[in-house]
Amino acid sequence: MRKFVKTTLAIVALVAGIAALAVVPARALVEIDINKGVVEPVPIAITDFLSGDAMGVEIAGVISADLRRSGLFAPIEKNAFIEKISNPDVTPRFEDWRVINAQAVVTGRVTQEPDGRLRVEFRVWDTFAGRQLSGEQLFANQENWRRVAHIIADTIYEQFTGEKGYFDSRIVYVSESGPRDNRVKRLAIMDQDGARHEYLSDGRSIVLTPRFSPQRQEITYMSYESGNPQVYLLQLETGQRELVGNFPGMTFAPRFSPNGDKVIMSLLREDGNSNIYTMDLRTRNTARLTDTNAIDTSPSYSPDGSQVVFTSDRGGRAQIYVMGADGSNQRRISFGDGAYSTPVWSPRGDLIAFTKQSGGNFQIGVMRTDGSGERIISSGFLQEGPTWSPNGRVIMFFRQDAGAVGPKLYSIDLTGRNEQPVATPNFGSDPAWSPLLK
């Protein structure tokens, strides 16, 4: 197993030279309505950052790509620019940017510090108001230049929407390769845009359902390496791996608690029943939360850790249930036609995403935490496994189209629009989105 090497990133915002400029507090120029069918993207000009090499162009390119994929911004083609930015400290000629309908302009500079670190400065300008919206500078090691670009894109996203961005984050998923009857499944990790791809396992054992810790550089996943499915922990910084308890029977569908101190999972007994357990990772004490003659599985904590959503077929068909974190007050919340699976609580706490099988199709949908307001946002031949972006505005899942050899990753926003493929070197399934990186 290859080690995922931790890299450091130092950020300093609004230092003296930039902070001295008039900076307008953040204001929401784009209002996101998750029930609105169409959001008009904001035309924005991302100019190449000045630098002594190609780094400035590359950083601007990543920022532009991030914002474009969100569906909320429409970066303007560079060949339409009238003004050529030669000094990002100087106020742009706003009339030149208004002509091409750029509602905002982003300018910047990349220099190298004596210790070898990058210094990246950027400013965001409101062209129609004729003023600067924000200005910051960031320091980072050379290898972290893509993270710098993602952080800048997050800053712009927040400036215009009033909400945190999601670009400085990672995806862990199951990479699938080889023929269908001899499929190799490996753990893989990448940036949310598919860059910096790396394998975390060698493919000798089948792996499934990787999930990020909300607090540490750690994932939990299921592996068949012992013959039966068992839950493991993997430290991304060191590559250290350990088994989560030696339970009789099969353990599967693991997830972390919001504070990262517990793992919640399903345990399948020899009688064929599956119930939900938690394990305290510090004491290794376990607690049983459900006790039924049914299949209870796919647990997911609410962001505050007070509740757990899960699926159960105790009523004859798989439906979504919610209970207290101690197993109390178990109640069904889904009542639609079809079978429900893989529920996951939004990091915002307001919605639960799920997979639904109905009418011969698989659907990705969301509902309120009491089961009301169910809404399907994507439907296809075979698709499942929703995972939320850190800001709770985008869902990633995997789909296999009819006749396709293997599954692929996709993302979609909560309006049910802006569905996009997520590029991976091989087939991909079981994605899990990290929190924003620290």
Side-chain angles (χ1 to χ4, degrees):
M1 182 176 297
R2 294 180 60 189
K3 294 182 179 180
F4 178 73
V5 180
K6 181 182 180 182
T7 54
T8 59
L9 179 69
I11 302 170
V12 179
L14 296 174
V15 296
I18 294 179
L21 296 175
V23 178
V24 179
R27 58 189 179 95
L29 302 181
V30 179
E31 293 184 358
I32 300 175
D33 180 356
I34 65 173
N35 296 312
K36 188 176 180 181
V38 177
V39 175
E40 190 67 28
V42 173
I44 187 170
I46 313 294
T47 66
D48 290 339
F49 286 19
L50 299 184
S51 64
D53 53 23
M55 184 70 71
V57 176
E58 292 173 336
I59 288 176
V62 171
I63 296 168
S64 180
D66 279 348
L67 296 178
R68 188 185 302 277
R69 278 196 312 276
S70 75
L72 300 178
F73 298 86
I76 297 171
E77 294 297 329
K78 295 177 184 177
N79 58 14
F81 296 175
I82 298 173
E83 181 184 12
K84 180 178 176 59
I85 300 297
S86 58
N87 184 352
D89 298 328
V90 174
T91 301
R93 295 196 304 268
F94 293 122
E95 61 274 14
D96 287 351
W97 300 101
R98 296 183 193 119
V99 168
I100 62 173
N101 197 36
Q103 293 189 21
V105 178
V106 180
T107 62
R109 175 192 294 115
V110 182
T111 55
Q112 185 169 322
E113 295 290 285
D115 61 4
R117 292 182 303 157
L118 292 178
R119 173 177 173 171
V120 183
E121 305 164 65
F122 73 97
R123 301 168 189 265
V124 183
W125 306 86
D126 184 333
T127 60
F128 287 92
R131 57 185 177 180
Q132 181 177 314
L133 293 175
S134 64
E136 299 184 18
Q137 68 175 357
L138 302 93
F139 295 91
N141 294 334
Q142 294 273 350
E143 63 269 22
N144 277 330
W145 70 267
R146 294 190 69 92
R147 279 205 60 197
V148 171
H150 293 319
I151 291 170
I152 294 173
D154 280 334
T155 302
I156 297 169
Y157 182 100
E158 184 174 2
Q159 183 79 56
F160 280 74
T161 67
E163 298 188 347
K164 292 288 187 182
Y166 58 90
F167 305 119
D168 187 30
S169 58
R170 308 210 77 189
I171 304 294
V172 63
Y173 75 102
V174 176
S175 174
E176 302 188 20
S177 59
R180 187 176 300 177
D181 59 354
N182 189 26
R183 188 62 54 87
V184 175
K185 295 190 175 186
R186 305 172 65 184
L187 286 179
I189 192 170
M190 61 185 181
D191 289 354
Q192 54 78 29
D193 62 352
R196 297 200 302 158
H197 190 277
E198 184 176 1
Y199 293 107
L200 301 174
S201 67
D202 56 19
R204 286 181 291 182
S205 302
I206 294 176
V207 292
L208 297 170
T209 61
R211 300 290 182 258
F212 270 100
S213 168
Q215 301 295 333
R216 293 180 286 273
Q217 286 291 303
E218 183 177 41
I219 63 171
T220 183
Y221 65 97
M222 187 180 79
S223 174
Y224 279 80
E225 67 180 74
S226 64
N228 286 329
Q230 298 287 345
V231 174
Y232 290 82
L233 295 177
L234 173 63
Q235 301 287 341
L236 294 175
E237 297 176 6
T238 65
Q240 181 180 348
R241 191 173 56 93
E242 60 179 308
L243 181 66
V244 179
N246 189 14
F247 301 101
M250 299 189 302
T251 52
F252 54 98
R255 285 188 188 272
F256 286 95
S257 62
N259 62 9
D261 291 340
K262 292 182 179 180
V263 168
I264 192 167
M265 57 195 164
S266 297
L267 176 56
L268 181 64
R269 298 293 190 181
E270 293 181 355
D271 59 8
N273 297 326
S274 169
N275 281 282
I276 295 173
Y277 290 74
T278 61
M279 171 177 275
D280 189 307
L281 296 175
R282 297 164 300 180
T283 65
R284 298 292 165 165
N285 291 333
T286 60
R288 182 171 182 166
L289 302 187
T290 66
D291 188 2
T292 65
N293 294 321
I295 297 177
D296 297 341
T297 189
S298 300
S300 172
Y301 278 100
S302 62
D304 64 3
S306 66
Q307 299 184 83
V308 173
V309 64
F310 64 102
T311 58
S312 176
D313 66 355
R314 63 185 68 178
R317 184 170 55 182
Q319 295 287 336
I320 298 178
Y321 290 74
V322 169
M323 62 181 169
D326 59 356
S328 61
N329 191 25
Q330 298 181 20
R331 63 219 184 259
R332 177 176 166 180
I333 65 168
S334 67
F335 295 92
D337 295 332
Y340 293 78
S341 60
T342 63
V344 57
W345 219 297
S346 165
R348 298 168 62 90
D350 57 342
L351 295 171
I352 292 169
F354 57 85
T355 302
K356 183 179 180 180
Q357 187 177 4
S358 177
N361 282 331
F362 283 78
Q363 302 166 332
I364 302 297
V366 295
M367 63 175 64
R368 298 189 186 98
T369 58
D370 61 0
S372 65
E374 179 177 321
R375 187 160 50 88
I376 302 301
I377 61 175
S378 180
S379 182
F381 173 72
L382 176 60
Q383 57 185 32
E384 58 182 313
T387 180
W388 292 94
S389 64
N391 67 354
R393 287 303 189 190
V394 180
I395 290 175
M396 191 175 293
F397 59 96
F398 67 98
R399 171 193 294 155
Q400 183 166 332
D401 294 324
V405 179
K408 297 182 179 180
L409 304 186
Y410 290 82
S411 67
I412 191 169
D413 67 21
L414 287 182
T415 65
R417 57 183 292 275
N418 194 36
E419 181 175 295
Q420 298 188 25
V422 180
T424 56
N426 300 302
F427 296 122
S429 62
D430 283 342
W433 217 313
S434 79
L436 285 176
L437 299 178
K438 298 177 181 179

